[in-house]
Short mmCIF file of all heavy atoms in Angstrom, two decimals:
data_model
loop_
_atom_site.label_atom_id
_atom_site.label_comp_id
_atom_site.label_asym_id
_atom_site.label_seq_id
_atom_site.Cartn_x
_atom_site.Cartn_y
_atom_site.Cartn_z
N MET T 190 0.84 -1.18 0.00
CA MET T 190 0.00 0.00 0.00
C MET T 190 0.89 1.25 0.00
O MET T 190 1.76 1.40 0.84
CB MET T 190 -0.89 -0.01 1.23
CG MET T 190 -1.90 1.09 1.25
SD MET T 190 -3.14 0.68 2.50
CE MET T 190 -3.45 2.26 3.18
N ALA T 191 0.67 2.14 -0.95
CA ALA T 191 1.49 3.33 -1.07
C ALA T 191 1.14 4.34 0.01
O ALA T 191 -0.01 4.46 0.42
CB ALA T 191 1.27 3.96 -2.45
N GLU T 192 2.17 5.05 0.50
CA GLU T 192 1.92 6.12 1.45
C GLU T 192 1.39 7.33 0.70
O GLU T 192 1.61 7.48 -0.49
CB GLU T 192 3.22 6.49 2.16
CG GLU T 192 3.75 5.40 3.07
CD GLU T 192 5.01 5.84 3.77
OE1 GLU T 192 5.00 6.92 4.38
OE2 GLU T 192 5.99 5.11 3.70
N THR T 193 0.74 8.17 1.44
CA THR T 193 0.18 9.37 0.84
C THR T 193 1.24 10.45 0.72
O THR T 193 2.04 10.64 1.62
CB THR T 193 -0.98 9.90 1.70
OG1 THR T 193 -1.97 8.90 1.79
CG2 THR T 193 -1.57 11.15 1.12
N VAL T 194 1.24 11.15 -0.40
CA VAL T 194 2.07 12.32 -0.58
C VAL T 194 1.19 13.54 -0.35
O VAL T 194 0.09 13.63 -0.91
CB VAL T 194 2.70 12.37 -1.99
CG1 VAL T 194 3.44 13.68 -2.20
CG2 VAL T 194 3.62 11.18 -2.19
N ASP T 195 1.65 14.44 0.47
CA ASP T 195 0.88 15.64 0.79
C ASP T 195 1.62 16.85 0.24
O ASP T 195 2.82 17.01 0.46
CB ASP T 195 0.72 15.78 2.31
CG ASP T 195 -0.03 17.04 2.68
OD1 ASP T 195 -1.24 17.09 2.44
OD2 ASP T 195 0.61 17.98 3.20
N ILE T 196 0.92 17.69 -0.49
CA ILE T 196 1.50 18.92 -1.02
C ILE T 196 0.72 20.09 -0.46
O ILE T 196 -0.50 20.18 -0.62
CB ILE T 196 1.46 18.95 -2.56
CG1 ILE T 196 2.21 17.73 -3.12
CG2 ILE T 196 2.06 20.25 -3.09
CD1 ILE T 196 2.10 17.58 -4.63
N SER T 197 1.44 20.98 0.23
CA SER T 197 0.82 22.17 0.83
C SER T 197 1.40 23.41 0.16
O SER T 197 2.61 23.48 -0.07
CB SER T 197 1.12 22.25 2.33
OG SER T 197 0.67 21.11 2.98
N ILE T 198 0.55 24.36 -0.11
CA ILE T 198 0.99 25.63 -0.68
C ILE T 198 1.13 26.62 0.45
O ILE T 198 0.16 26.94 1.13
CB ILE T 198 -0.03 26.15 -1.72
CG1 ILE T 198 -0.24 25.10 -2.82
CG2 ILE T 198 0.44 27.47 -2.29
CD1 ILE T 198 -1.39 25.41 -3.74
N ARG T 199 2.37 27.08 0.68
CA ARG T 199 2.61 28.05 1.74
C ARG T 199 2.20 29.43 1.25
O ARG T 199 2.45 29.78 0.08
CB ARG T 199 4.09 28.07 2.14
CG ARG T 199 4.61 26.72 2.63
CD ARG T 199 3.90 26.24 3.87
NE ARG T 199 4.00 27.25 4.91
CZ ARG T 199 3.10 27.43 5.89
NH1 ARG T 199 2.04 26.67 5.96
NH2 ARG T 199 3.28 28.38 6.77
N PRO T 200 1.57 30.23 2.09
CA PRO T 200 1.17 31.58 1.68
C PRO T 200 2.38 32.37 1.15
O PRO T 200 3.34 32.59 1.90
CB PRO T 200 0.60 32.20 2.95
CG PRO T 200 0.20 31.03 3.79
CD PRO T 200 1.21 29.94 3.48
N SER T 201 2.33 32.75 -0.11
CA SER T 201 3.42 33.49 -0.76
C SER T 201 4.78 32.85 -0.48
O SER T 201 5.77 33.54 -0.24
CB SER T 201 3.42 34.97 -0.34
OG SER T 201 2.27 35.59 -0.89
N GLY T 202 4.80 31.54 -0.51
CA GLY T 202 6.01 30.78 -0.26
C GLY T 202 6.02 29.53 -1.11
O GLY T 202 5.32 29.44 -2.12
N PRO T 203 6.83 28.56 -0.72
CA PRO T 203 7.03 27.37 -1.54
C PRO T 203 5.89 26.36 -1.46
O PRO T 203 4.96 26.49 -0.66
CB PRO T 203 8.30 26.76 -0.93
CG PRO T 203 8.21 27.13 0.50
CD PRO T 203 7.62 28.52 0.52
N TYR T 204 6.01 25.35 -2.30
CA TYR T 204 5.18 24.16 -2.18
C TYR T 204 5.91 23.22 -1.25
O TYR T 204 7.07 22.87 -1.50
CB TYR T 204 5.02 23.45 -3.54
CG TYR T 204 4.36 24.26 -4.61
CD1 TYR T 204 5.10 24.80 -5.66
CD2 TYR T 204 2.99 24.48 -4.61
CE1 TYR T 204 4.50 25.53 -6.66
CE2 TYR T 204 2.37 25.21 -5.60
CZ TYR T 204 3.13 25.74 -6.63
OH TYR T 204 2.54 26.48 -7.63
N LEU T 205 5.27 22.80 -0.17
CA LEU T 205 5.86 21.81 0.72
C LEU T 205 5.35 20.44 0.31
O LEU T 205 4.13 20.22 0.26
CB LEU T 205 5.48 22.08 2.17
CG LEU T 205 6.13 23.28 2.84
CD1 LEU T 205 5.71 23.35 4.30
CD2 LEU T 205 7.64 23.26 2.71
N VAL T 206 6.27 19.54 0.00
CA VAL T 206 5.92 18.20 -0.44
C VAL T 206 6.38 17.22 0.63
O VAL T 206 7.56 17.15 0.95
CB VAL T 206 6.59 17.86 -1.79
CG1 VAL T 206 6.19 16.47 -2.26
CG2 VAL T 206 6.24 18.92 -2.83
N ARG T 207 5.42 16.51 1.20
CA ARG T 207 5.72 15.54 2.26
C ARG T 207 5.32 14.16 1.79
O ARG T 207 4.21 13.97 1.31
CB ARG T 207 4.93 15.86 3.53
CG ARG T 207 5.29 17.16 4.16
CD ARG T 207 4.49 17.33 5.46
NE ARG T 207 4.76 18.61 6.06
CZ ARG T 207 4.03 19.71 5.87
NH1 ARG T 207 2.98 19.66 5.09
NH2 ARG T 207 4.36 20.83 6.45
N GLY T 208 6.23 13.22 1.94
CA GLY T 208 5.90 11.85 1.58
C GLY T 208 6.99 11.22 0.73
O GLY T 208 8.01 11.85 0.45
N PRO T 209 6.75 10.00 0.33
CA PRO T 209 7.76 9.26 -0.42
C PRO T 209 7.75 9.66 -1.90
O PRO T 209 7.00 9.12 -2.69
CB PRO T 209 7.32 7.81 -0.24
CG PRO T 209 5.84 7.89 -0.07
CD PRO T 209 5.57 9.19 0.63
N VAL T 210 8.56 10.65 -2.25
CA VAL T 210 8.61 11.12 -3.63
C VAL T 210 10.01 10.98 -4.20
O VAL T 210 11.00 10.94 -3.46
CB VAL T 210 8.17 12.59 -3.78
CG1 VAL T 210 6.73 12.77 -3.36
CG2 VAL T 210 9.08 13.51 -3.01
N THR T 211 10.09 10.93 -5.51
CA THR T 211 11.34 11.08 -6.22
C THR T 211 11.19 12.31 -7.10
O THR T 211 10.07 12.68 -7.47
CB THR T 211 11.68 9.84 -7.08
OG1 THR T 211 10.59 9.58 -7.96
CG2 THR T 211 11.96 8.63 -6.21
N LEU T 212 12.30 12.96 -7.41
CA LEU T 212 12.25 14.20 -8.19
C LEU T 212 13.32 14.12 -9.28
O LEU T 212 14.47 13.77 -8.99
CB LEU T 212 12.51 15.39 -7.25
CG LEU T 212 12.43 16.78 -7.83
CD1 LEU T 212 11.02 17.06 -8.38
CD2 LEU T 212 12.77 17.80 -6.75
N HIS T 213 12.94 14.45 -10.51
CA HIS T 213 13.85 14.41 -11.64
C HIS T 213 13.97 15.80 -12.25
O HIS T 213 13.01 16.57 -12.26
CB HIS T 213 13.33 13.44 -12.71
CG HIS T 213 13.28 12.02 -12.23
ND1 HIS T 213 12.25 11.53 -11.48
CD2 HIS T 213 14.16 11.00 -12.39
CE1 HIS T 213 12.48 10.25 -11.19
NE2 HIS T 213 13.63 9.91 -11.73
N ASP T 214 15.14 16.12 -12.76
CA ASP T 214 15.33 17.40 -13.43
C ASP T 214 14.80 17.33 -14.85
O ASP T 214 14.22 16.31 -15.27
CB ASP T 214 16.80 17.84 -13.38
CG ASP T 214 17.73 16.95 -14.21
OD1 ASP T 214 17.24 16.14 -15.03
OD2 ASP T 214 18.96 17.08 -14.04
N GLY T 215 14.97 18.41 -15.59
CA GLY T 215 14.43 18.49 -16.94
C GLY T 215 15.03 17.50 -17.92
O GLY T 215 14.47 17.26 -18.99
N GLN T 216 16.17 16.92 -17.56
CA GLN T 216 16.81 15.92 -18.41
C GLN T 216 16.52 14.51 -17.94
O GLN T 216 17.06 13.54 -18.48
CB GLN T 216 18.33 16.14 -18.46
CG GLN T 216 18.77 17.35 -19.28
CD GLN T 216 18.44 18.66 -18.59
OE1 GLN T 216 18.71 18.84 -17.41
NE2 GLN T 216 17.82 19.59 -19.32
N GLY T 217 15.71 14.39 -16.90
CA GLY T 217 15.34 13.07 -16.39
C GLY T 217 16.28 12.52 -15.34
O GLY T 217 16.14 11.38 -14.91
N ASN T 218 17.26 13.33 -14.93
CA ASN T 218 18.19 12.87 -13.90
C ASN T 218 17.54 12.93 -12.53
O ASN T 218 16.89 13.92 -12.18
CB ASN T 218 19.46 13.76 -13.88
CG ASN T 218 20.16 13.75 -15.22
OD1 ASN T 218 20.51 12.70 -15.72
ND2 ASN T 218 20.36 14.93 -15.78
N LEU T 219 17.74 11.87 -11.76
CA LEU T 219 17.19 11.81 -10.42
C LEU T 219 17.93 12.77 -9.50
O LEU T 219 19.17 12.76 -9.44
CB LEU T 219 17.31 10.38 -9.88
CG LEU T 219 16.68 10.08 -8.53
CD1 LEU T 219 15.16 10.28 -8.58
CD2 LEU T 219 17.01 8.65 -8.11
N LEU T 220 17.19 13.65 -8.83
CA LEU T 220 17.80 14.60 -7.90
C LEU T 220 17.93 13.97 -6.53
O LEU T 220 17.04 13.24 -6.08
CB LEU T 220 16.97 15.87 -7.82
CG LEU T 220 16.83 16.65 -9.13
CD1 LEU T 220 15.94 17.87 -8.93
CD2 LEU T 220 18.19 17.07 -9.67
N ASP T 221 19.02 14.27 -5.85
CA ASP T 221 19.28 13.76 -4.51
C ASP T 221 18.51 14.60 -3.50
O ASP T 221 18.75 15.80 -3.37
CB ASP T 221 20.78 13.82 -4.21
CG ASP T 221 21.12 13.27 -2.83
OD1 ASP T 221 20.22 12.71 -2.15
OD2 ASP T 221 22.29 13.40 -2.44
N LEU T 222 17.59 13.98 -2.80
CA LEU T 222 16.80 14.69 -1.80
C LEU T 222 17.40 14.56 -0.41
O LEU T 222 16.81 14.98 0.58
CB LEU T 222 15.36 14.18 -1.81
CG LEU T 222 14.63 14.30 -3.15
CD1 LEU T 222 13.21 13.78 -3.04
CD2 LEU T 222 14.66 15.73 -3.66
N GLY T 223 18.57 13.97 -0.33
CA GLY T 223 19.28 13.86 0.94
C GLY T 223 18.54 13.08 2.01
O GLY T 223 18.73 13.33 3.19
N GLY T 224 17.66 12.19 1.58
CA GLY T 224 16.92 11.37 2.55
C GLY T 224 15.78 12.09 3.24
O GLY T 224 15.16 11.54 4.14
N LYS T 225 15.53 13.33 2.83
CA LYS T 225 14.45 14.11 3.47
C LYS T 225 13.09 13.56 3.06
O LYS T 225 12.90 13.15 1.92
CB LYS T 225 14.54 15.57 3.04
CG LYS T 225 15.80 16.26 3.46
CD LYS T 225 15.82 17.67 2.93
CE LYS T 225 17.16 18.32 3.22
NZ LYS T 225 17.31 19.57 2.47
N ASP T 226 12.14 13.61 3.99
CA ASP T 226 10.78 13.22 3.64
C ASP T 226 9.89 14.43 3.42
O ASP T 226 8.72 14.30 3.10
CB ASP T 226 10.18 12.26 4.67
CG ASP T 226 10.07 12.87 6.05
OD1 ASP T 226 10.46 14.04 6.23
OD2 ASP T 226 9.58 12.17 6.95
N THR T 227 10.46 15.63 3.58
CA THR T 227 9.76 16.86 3.25
C THR T 227 10.70 17.74 2.46
O THR T 227 11.85 17.96 2.86
CB THR T 227 9.32 17.62 4.53
OG1 THR T 227 8.43 16.78 5.28
CG2 THR T 227 8.61 18.91 4.17
N ILE T 228 10.21 18.23 1.33
CA ILE T 228 11.01 19.15 0.53
C ILE T 228 10.17 20.39 0.22
O ILE T 228 8.95 20.32 0.19
CB ILE T 228 11.52 18.52 -0.79
CG1 ILE T 228 10.38 17.98 -1.64
CG2 ILE T 228 12.55 17.44 -0.50
CD1 ILE T 228 10.80 17.51 -3.01
N ALA T 229 10.84 21.51 0.01
CA ALA T 229 10.17 22.76 -0.35
C ALA T 229 10.58 23.12 -1.76
O ALA T 229 11.77 23.29 -2.05
CB ALA T 229 10.55 23.86 0.62
N LEU T 230 9.60 23.22 -2.64
CA LEU T 230 9.85 23.57 -4.03
C LEU T 230 9.52 25.03 -4.27
O LEU T 230 8.45 25.52 -3.86
CB LEU T 230 9.01 22.68 -4.96
CG LEU T 230 9.30 21.18 -4.88
CD1 LEU T 230 8.34 20.41 -5.79
CD2 LEU T 230 10.75 20.88 -5.24
N CYS T 231 10.43 25.72 -4.95
CA CYS T 231 10.29 27.15 -5.20
C CYS T 231 9.05 27.43 -6.05
O CYS T 231 8.81 26.79 -7.06
CB CYS T 231 11.53 27.69 -5.90
SG CYS T 231 11.45 29.45 -6.29
N ARG T 232 8.31 28.43 -5.64
CA ARG T 232 7.13 28.88 -6.38
C ARG T 232 7.34 30.30 -6.91
O ARG T 232 6.63 30.74 -7.81
CB ARG T 232 5.90 28.84 -5.46
CG ARG T 232 4.61 29.15 -6.13
CD ARG T 232 3.42 28.64 -5.34
NE ARG T 232 3.26 29.25 -4.06
CZ ARG T 232 2.19 29.92 -3.65
NH1 ARG T 232 1.17 30.06 -4.46
NH2 ARG T 232 2.13 30.42 -2.45
N CYS T 233 8.34 31.01 -6.37
CA CYS T 233 8.51 32.41 -6.77
C CYS T 233 9.42 32.57 -7.98
O CYS T 233 9.42 33.61 -8.63
CB CYS T 233 9.08 33.21 -5.60
SG CYS T 233 10.83 32.91 -5.24
N GLY T 234 10.25 31.58 -8.26
CA GLY T 234 11.15 31.64 -9.40
C GLY T 234 12.49 32.28 -9.10
O GLY T 234 13.34 32.38 -9.98
N ALA T 235 12.73 32.72 -7.88
CA ALA T 235 13.95 33.45 -7.56
C ALA T 235 14.99 32.63 -6.81
O ALA T 235 16.09 33.13 -6.53
CB ALA T 235 13.61 34.70 -6.75
N SER T 236 14.70 31.41 -6.47
CA SER T 236 15.65 30.59 -5.72
C SER T 236 16.93 30.37 -6.52
O SER T 236 16.90 30.20 -7.74
CB SER T 236 15.01 29.24 -5.39
OG SER T 236 15.97 28.38 -4.79
N THR T 237 18.05 30.35 -5.83
CA THR T 237 19.32 30.04 -6.49
C THR T 237 19.58 28.53 -6.44
O THR T 237 20.61 28.08 -6.94
CB THR T 237 20.50 30.78 -5.82
OG1 THR T 237 20.57 30.40 -4.45
CG2 THR T 237 20.33 32.29 -5.95
N THR T 238 18.69 27.79 -5.81
CA THR T 238 18.86 26.34 -5.71
C THR T 238 17.65 25.62 -6.31
O THR T 238 17.21 24.59 -5.79
CB THR T 238 19.04 25.91 -4.24
OG1 THR T 238 17.89 26.31 -3.49
CG2 THR T 238 20.30 26.51 -3.64
N LYS T 239 17.07 26.19 -7.38
CA LYS T 239 15.91 25.57 -8.02
C LYS T 239 16.18 24.11 -8.33
O LYS T 239 17.30 23.78 -8.70
CB LYS T 239 15.55 26.31 -9.32
CG LYS T 239 15.06 27.71 -9.11
CD LYS T 239 14.70 28.30 -10.45
CE LYS T 239 14.50 29.77 -10.39
NZ LYS T 239 15.72 30.56 -10.52
N PRO T 240 15.24 23.27 -8.18
CA PRO T 240 13.82 23.57 -7.95
C PRO T 240 13.47 23.76 -6.48
O PRO T 240 12.30 23.92 -6.15
CB PRO T 240 13.13 22.33 -8.50
CG PRO T 240 14.07 21.22 -8.17
CD PRO T 240 15.45 21.82 -8.38
N PHE T 241 14.48 23.79 -5.62
CA PHE T 241 14.20 23.90 -4.19
C PHE T 241 14.11 25.36 -3.75
O PHE T 241 14.77 26.23 -4.32
CB PHE T 241 15.29 23.18 -3.39
CG PHE T 241 15.46 21.75 -3.80
CD1 PHE T 241 16.56 21.36 -4.58
CD2 PHE T 241 14.52 20.80 -3.46
CE1 PHE T 241 16.70 20.05 -4.99
CE2 PHE T 241 14.66 19.47 -3.87
CZ PHE T 241 15.76 19.10 -4.64
N CYS T 242 13.33 25.59 -2.75
CA CYS T 242 13.21 26.92 -2.14
C CYS T 242 14.45 27.17 -1.29
O CYS T 242 14.88 26.29 -0.53
CB CYS T 242 11.95 26.96 -1.27
SG CYS T 242 11.82 28.41 -0.22
N ASP T 243 15.03 28.37 -1.40
CA ASP T 243 16.16 28.73 -0.54
C ASP T 243 15.82 29.92 0.36
O ASP T 243 16.70 30.50 0.97
CB ASP T 243 17.40 29.03 -1.38
CG ASP T 243 17.26 30.28 -2.23
OD1 ASP T 243 16.18 30.91 -2.22
OD2 ASP T 243 18.24 30.65 -2.91
N GLY T 244 14.56 30.28 0.43
CA GLY T 244 14.12 31.37 1.31
C GLY T 244 14.11 32.73 0.64
O GLY T 244 13.68 33.72 1.25
N THR T 245 14.56 32.81 -0.61
CA THR T 245 14.63 34.10 -1.30
C THR T 245 13.26 34.75 -1.43
O THR T 245 13.15 35.99 -1.47
CB THR T 245 15.28 33.93 -2.69
OG1 THR T 245 16.60 33.42 -2.51
CG2 THR T 245 15.37 35.25 -3.44
N HIS T 246 12.20 33.97 -1.46
CA HIS T 246 10.85 34.54 -1.61
C HIS T 246 10.58 35.60 -0.53
O HIS T 246 9.92 36.60 -0.80
CB HIS T 246 9.78 33.44 -1.58
CG HIS T 246 9.74 32.66 -0.31
ND1 HIS T 246 10.50 31.53 -0.10
CD2 HIS T 246 9.06 32.88 0.83
CE1 HIS T 246 10.26 31.08 1.12
NE2 HIS T 246 9.39 31.87 1.70
N SER T 247 11.10 35.37 0.66
CA SER T 247 10.90 36.35 1.74
C SER T 247 11.67 37.63 1.46
O SER T 247 11.17 38.73 1.70
CB SER T 247 11.36 35.77 3.08
OG SER T 247 10.57 34.68 3.44
N LYS T 248 12.90 37.49 0.96
CA LYS T 248 13.75 38.66 0.73
C LYS T 248 13.21 39.55 -0.39
O LYS T 248 13.38 40.75 -0.38
CB LYS T 248 15.17 38.21 0.39
CG LYS T 248 15.85 37.49 1.52
CD LYS T 248 17.21 36.94 1.09
CE LYS T 248 17.74 36.00 2.16
NZ LYS T 248 18.67 35.03 1.63
N ILE T 249 12.56 38.94 -1.40
CA ILE T 249 12.07 39.73 -2.54
C ILE T 249 10.63 40.16 -2.36
O ILE T 249 10.07 40.84 -3.21
CB ILE T 249 12.23 38.95 -3.86
CG1 ILE T 249 11.36 37.70 -3.88
CG2 ILE T 249 13.70 38.63 -4.11
CD1 ILE T 249 11.28 37.02 -5.24
N GLY T 250 10.01 39.75 -1.27
CA GLY T 250 8.61 40.14 -1.02
C GLY T 250 7.64 39.48 -1.98
O GLY T 250 6.64 40.09 -2.37
N PHE T 251 7.93 38.23 -2.33
CA PHE T 251 7.05 37.50 -3.27
C PHE T 251 5.62 37.45 -2.75
O PHE T 251 5.38 37.13 -1.58
CB PHE T 251 7.58 36.08 -3.48
CG PHE T 251 6.65 35.18 -4.24
CD1 PHE T 251 6.38 35.41 -5.58
CD2 PHE T 251 6.04 34.11 -3.62
CE1 PHE T 251 5.52 34.58 -6.29
CE2 PHE T 251 5.19 33.26 -4.32
CZ PHE T 251 4.93 33.50 -5.66
N LEU T 252 4.68 37.80 -3.62
CA LEU T 252 3.26 37.64 -3.33
C LEU T 252 2.67 36.74 -4.40
O LEU T 252 2.78 37.04 -5.59
CB LEU T 252 2.53 38.98 -3.38
CG LEU T 252 2.49 39.82 -2.12
CD1 LEU T 252 1.70 41.10 -2.37
CD2 LEU T 252 1.88 39.05 -0.96
N ALA T 253 2.07 35.64 -3.98
CA ALA T 253 1.40 34.76 -4.94
C ALA T 253 0.27 35.55 -5.61
O ALA T 253 -0.28 36.47 -5.02
CB ALA T 253 0.84 33.54 -4.22
N ALA T 254 -0.06 35.19 -6.84
CA ALA T 254 -1.04 35.94 -7.62
C ALA T 254 -2.36 36.09 -6.88
O ALA T 254 -2.93 37.19 -6.85
CB ALA T 254 -1.26 35.27 -8.97
N ASN T 255 -2.83 35.02 -6.26
CA ASN T 255 -4.12 35.13 -5.57
C ASN T 255 -4.03 36.07 -4.37
O ASN T 255 -4.97 36.78 -4.05
CB ASN T 255 -4.64 33.75 -5.15
CG ASN T 255 -3.70 33.03 -4.19
OD1 ASN T 255 -2.49 33.19 -4.28
ND2 ASN T 255 -4.27 32.27 -3.30
N GLU T 256 -2.87 36.09 -3.72
CA GLU T 256 -2.71 36.96 -2.57
C GLU T 256 -2.50 38.41 -3.01
O GLU T 256 -2.98 39.34 -2.37
CB GLU T 256 -1.57 36.46 -1.70
CG GLU T 256 -1.91 35.11 -1.07
CD GLU T 256 -0.73 34.41 -0.45
OE1 GLU T 256 0.13 35.08 0.12
OE2 GLU T 256 -0.68 33.17 -0.56
N ALA T 257 -1.80 38.62 -4.13
CA ALA T 257 -1.61 39.97 -4.65
C ALA T 257 -2.95 40.56 -5.08
O ALA T 257 -3.24 41.73 -4.82
CB ALA T 257 -0.65 39.94 -5.84
N ALA T 258 -3.81 39.74 -5.71
CA ALA T 258 -5.12 40.22 -6.12
C ALA T 258 -5.96 40.59 -4.92
O ALA T 258 -6.67 41.60 -4.92
CB ALA T 258 -5.81 39.15 -6.96
N ARG T 259 -5.86 39.78 -3.87
CA ARG T 259 -6.62 40.06 -2.64
C ARG T 259 -6.17 41.37 -2.03
O ARG T 259 -6.99 42.16 -1.57
CB ARG T 259 -6.41 38.89 -1.67
CG ARG T 259 -7.47 38.78 -0.62
CD ARG T 259 -7.28 37.56 0.27
NE ARG T 259 -7.16 36.32 -0.49
CZ ARG T 259 -6.25 35.37 -0.26
NH1 ARG T 259 -5.40 35.49 0.73
NH2 ARG T 259 -6.20 34.29 -0.98
N GLU T 260 -4.84 41.62 -2.04
CA GLU T 260 -4.33 42.85 -1.43
C GLU T 260 -4.71 44.09 -2.23
O GLU T 260 -4.90 45.15 -1.67
CB GLU T 260 -2.79 42.79 -1.30
CG GLU T 260 -2.35 41.99 -0.11
CD GLU T 260 -0.90 42.26 0.25
OE1 GLU T 260 -0.26 43.13 -0.35
OE2 GLU T 260 -0.40 41.57 1.17
N SER T 261 -4.83 43.96 -3.56
CA SER T 261 -5.16 45.12 -4.38
C SER T 261 -6.64 45.43 -4.34
O SER T 261 -7.09 46.45 -4.85
CB SER T 261 -4.68 44.92 -5.81
OG SER T 261 -5.41 43.89 -6.44
N GLY T 262 -7.39 44.55 -3.76
CA GLY T 262 -8.81 44.78 -3.55
C GLY T 262 -9.61 44.44 -4.73
O GLY T 262 -10.63 44.72 -5.08
S1 FES K 208 9.46 30.04 -3.05
FE1 FES K 208 11.13 30.18 -1.72
S2 FES K 208 12.75 30.88 -2.93
FE2 FES K 208 11.08 30.73 -4.30
#
């Protein structure tokens, strides 16, 4: 029986992926997840360690589209 993979969208932050996953780059190479069972994938596009989040979203003031629309009223 497969374990469940859970993906959470952090407010104006990364996608948190929890569970037994494998991740491949654009060439199909398997990426080393370092044995972690939770990874954060960049959603803002500014990470220097893509596809992983490196926290840059906070420094650049990233606002997800739905949150930016909410703020503009
Ligand atoms: S979402 Fe964190 S660096 Fe892009």
